[in-house]
Amino acid sequence: MATTTAPPRAGAPVGAPPVAAPPARPRRRRQLAPLWLISPAGVVILAVTVAPIVFLVFTSFTDYDQRSLFTGAYDSVGLGQYQALLADAEFWRSLLRTVLFTAAMVGGSVVIGMGVSHLLTRLSVGMRYTVTVVLIFAWAMPNVASSIVWKWMFQPGYGVVNWLLTQVGVFGDMTNVDWGNDAGLAYTSIWMLIVWQAVPFIALTLYAAETQIPLEYKEAARLDGASELRVYRQVTLVFLRPTLLLVTILSVIWDFNVFNQIWLVSAGGPDGATSTLGVFTYVTAFVGFDIGRGSAISVVTTALLALLTAFYIRNLVRSGEDL
């Protein structure tokens, strides 16, 4: 076997014996090192994410119910759960409510977040820090705690919002109005709550992106006689397009799955008027204990969100190519 030798060192005496090269580390060991480093995180992901998803998909093809929880007995029904789900009129009503309510929540949070983001660029340093801290506090509030407090604020008899509206006098005596027992008022209350929670993330994300826009483009547009609205529309929004697409798709995914706020404020009422897919899934799986049907609803919801995510990735790649 031939021995690998290193070239003579600079300054070494002529005729000195060559120095043997150090043995190379096994290449296979170097390739496996990153896998060993990420293996703890990989085990956690498999345990808390992949395994539940696999069990969810498996359960959607069975008649898993309350009996199965105690006895472990269940039967395979194939696509029966999906066929029954697609024939269920309540599922389609819940899907329609979810789509319309998601559009209202995403539209409101993105528009208001854009306004707050642009406002941050116009404030002084002290006011900007103050508004940023307030936004972070609002965003960091757990949605369960904020939903309960929100419901207290709209309670009939002693709710502070009802008292304020009564003092204003525009809507008459609102003291004993129960927002959760009226479909329109319930949607309005939940919409304000979710938008209030979503605006901080959107505003701070867009503000970070807006501060990276070169000022030369805005100055050139102003020198050409463009108004501030036209500068914002033709310069700022062009640079913000990838970030806007990002926060919009993330908002769609989050708002499509909203459950805590709706359940804690109105419990899907009155008479199922605010029962979106999240509430419909919970009631089917954990109130009616039809776990197989609830799993099928979750799989369909995940498939819809996967289509939205694919649309986002496709448009994000196109945006990067255009820029």
Side-chain angles (χ1 to χ4, degrees):
M1 180 181 298
T3 302
T4 304
T5 58
R9 293 175 298 172
V14 178
V19 180
R25 296 182 60 184
R27 186 175 181 180
R28 182 175 180 81
R29 184 179 300 177
R30 290 200 303 269
Q31 292 176 343
L32 292 178
L35 297 179
W36 284 109
L37 292 175
I38 66 173
S39 59
V43 170
V44 173
I45 292 174
L46 287 174
V48 303
T49 302
V50 177
I53 291 176
V54 172
F55 181 73
L56 176 73
V57 175
F58 169 76
T59 307
S60 68
F61 294 100
T62 67
D63 62 350
Y64 210 93
D65 55 9
Q66 189 175 13
R67 170 182 60 93
S68 305
L69 294 175
F70 293 98
T71 65
Y74 59 86
D75 295 319
S76 176
V77 296
L79 297 175
Q81 296 288 11
Y82 294 95
Q83 293 172 351
L85 180 64
L86 296 178
D88 188 354
E90 183 58 32
F91 166 74
W92 292 107
R93 285 193 290 266
S94 299
L95 178 60
L96 179 62
R97 293 189 201 105
T98 303
V99 172
L100 295 178
F101 197 34
T102 299
M105 291 184 293
V106 172
S109 57
V110 170
V111 170
I112 297 175
M114 290 170 60
V116 175
S117 166
H118 195 60
L119 176 65
L120 288 173
T121 63
R122 300 302 184 93
L123 295 177
S124 62
V125 176
M127 283 299 298
R128 184 161 60 246
Y129 281 128
T130 302
V131 174
T132 301
V133 170
V134 171
L135 290 174
I136 292 175
F137 279 147
W139 177 72
M141 179 74 66
N143 57 40
V144 172
S146 59
S147 299
I148 294 175
V149 173
W150 198 267
K151 186 175 182 179
W152 289 345
M153 292 172 61
F154 289 85
Q155 279 292 318
Y158 60 85
V160 64
V161 173
N162 290 5
W163 179 82
L164 287 174
L165 291 175
T166 301
Q167 298 303 311
V168 172
V170 176
F171 303 101
D173 187 2
M174 297 283 293
T175 305
N176 295 315
V177 173
D178 189 353
W179 292 65
N181 282 333
D182 182 270
L185 294 178
Y187 272 119
T188 301
S189 174
I190 297 169
W191 180 87
M192 289 189 294
L193 170 61
I194 294 174
V195 169
W196 171 74
Q197 293 174 329
V199 162
F201 170 79
I202 295 174
L204 294 178
T205 303
L206 292 178
Y207 169 71
E210 193 168 349
T211 56
Q212 303 304 311
I213 300 175
L215 296 178
E216 295 80 4
Y217 293 96
K218 296 182 178 181
E219 294 298 332
R222 293 189 182 101
L223 290 175
D224 289 339
S227 63
E228 289 301 319
L229 178 61
R230 189 171 181 182
V231 171
Y232 184 79
R233 188 177 69 251
Q234 295 187 350
V235 177
T236 305
L237 287 183
V238 171
F239 281 92
L240 290 181
R241 185 172 58 181
T243 308
L244 269 175
L245 181 62
L246 170 64
V247 297
T248 300
I249 295 298
L250 290 177
S251 298
V252 169
I253 294 173
W254 294 334
D255 294 343
F256 200 87
N257 288 316
V258 164
F259 169 76
N260 289 338
Q261 295 89 330
I262 299 176
W263 185 256
L264 293 173
V265 172
S266 67
D271 298 327
T274 59
S275 178
T276 57
L277 273 181
V279 176
F280 182 57
T281 304
Y282 176 80
V283 171
T284 301
F286 299 109
V287 177
F289 285 103
D290 192 350
I291 300 175
R293 179 74 61 83
S295 300
I297 302 171
S298 300
V299 171
V300 172
T301 303
T302 304
L304 292 174
L305 293 177
L307 291 176
L308 289 174
T309 304
F311 170 79
Y312 155 67
I313 295 175
R314 178 171 174 269
N315 282 272
L316 186 63
V317 170
R318 284 188 172 184
S319 299
E321 291 174 352
D322 294 339
L323 293 177

